[in-house]
Amino acid sequence: MSSTKLLTLKTSDGEKFVVNEALAVRSQAIKNMVEDCCTSNVIPLPNVHSKTMSKIIKYWKKHSEEEGVSKDQLKDSDKDFLQVHPSVLYDLISAANYLNDKELLDITCQEAADRIKGKIPEEIRNEFDIKSDFTLEEEEEIRNEHPWAFH
């Protein structure tokens, strides 16, 4: 019975997570590895750190509960899940993309989009701690050429 089979997910920092296969195959990438008969039950995830994987597994578990969880409760849970530092959100987006988890990728990307909506480039750089790679002169030239982008 595949629902009781356990898989070990090994993250980039060497931490191992033993999870139910039915939970792990929420990730299309892991599902593909399982279907391609991975030679062992250890699935390497070189692009996912253990702190990120821990959060993702909690998310998977919450979304895999079949009874007693309403859509509103899931929305509230997702809202709490997404209240993280921008660097953690970036890690979640990267991991969701690598794991090919469309649902997780959709909600994390939507959160990033919501955070930048209506902000000017400087505010976005501050929100996500992005250093400008333009000189002051280059930035001024861009502002003059494209004033619509800065209002």
Side-chain angles (χ1 to χ4, degrees):
M1 195 178 194
S2 70
S3 64
T4 58
K5 184 177 179 190
L6 297 178
L7 297 176
T8 301
L9 308 178
K10 185 177 178 185
T11 58
S12 62
D13 55 331
E15 191 161 333
K16 293 179 180 178
F17 295 86
V18 178
V19 296
N20 188 310
E21 180 183 325
L23 187 69
V25 296
R26 289 180 62 88
S27 157
Q28 190 63 46
I30 293 172
K31 183 178 182 181
N32 291 344
M33 287 183 217
V34 169
E35 288 174 354
D36 291 344
C37 298
C38 235
T39 54
S40 73
N41 281 347
V42 177
I43 305 219
L45 302 174
N47 294 353
V48 183
H49 191 275
S50 60
K51 288 182 181 178
T52 307
M53 194 70 232
S54 179
K55 286 189 73 63
I56 291 171
I57 290 170
K58 287 178 186 172
Y59 172 85
W60 285 347
K61 285 180 179 177
K62 189 68 175 178
H63 282 260
S64 294
E65 293 175 10
E66 294 177 14
E67 295 178 21
V69 181
S70 70
K71 285 187 179 188
D72 288 340
Q73 287 172 316
L74 279 179
K75 279 186 179 184
D76 289 343
S77 176
D78 288 353
K79 212 179 223 183
D80 292 341
F81 174 79
L82 294 168
Q83 295 309 307
V84 294
H85 188 273
S87 65
V88 175
L89 181 61
Y90 175 80
D91 291 342
L92 287 168
I93 291 170
S94 295
N97 186 52
Y98 174 75
L99 293 169
N100 196 3
D101 182 333
K102 182 181 176 349
E103 182 180 310
L104 181 58
L105 185 60
D106 286 350
I107 70 159
T108 53
C109 286
Q110 184 61 56
E111 176 65 20
D114 291 345
R115 288 185 186 191
I116 65 174
K117 187 176 183 179
K119 292 185 177 177
I120 61 171
E122 186 176 325
E123 293 170 322
I124 295 168
R125 283 196 299 269
N126 288 336
E127 169 77 17
F128 291 97
D129 197 26
I130 300 169
K131 305 289 183 237
S132 177
D133 53 354
F134 293 113
T135 65
L136 292 175
E137 294 80 18
E138 291 171 327
E139 193 167 320
E140 186 61 35
E141 183 180 330
I142 292 168
R143 286 180 188 274
N144 290 335
E145 289 177 12
H146 308 284
W148 57 267
F150 299 91
H151 293 105

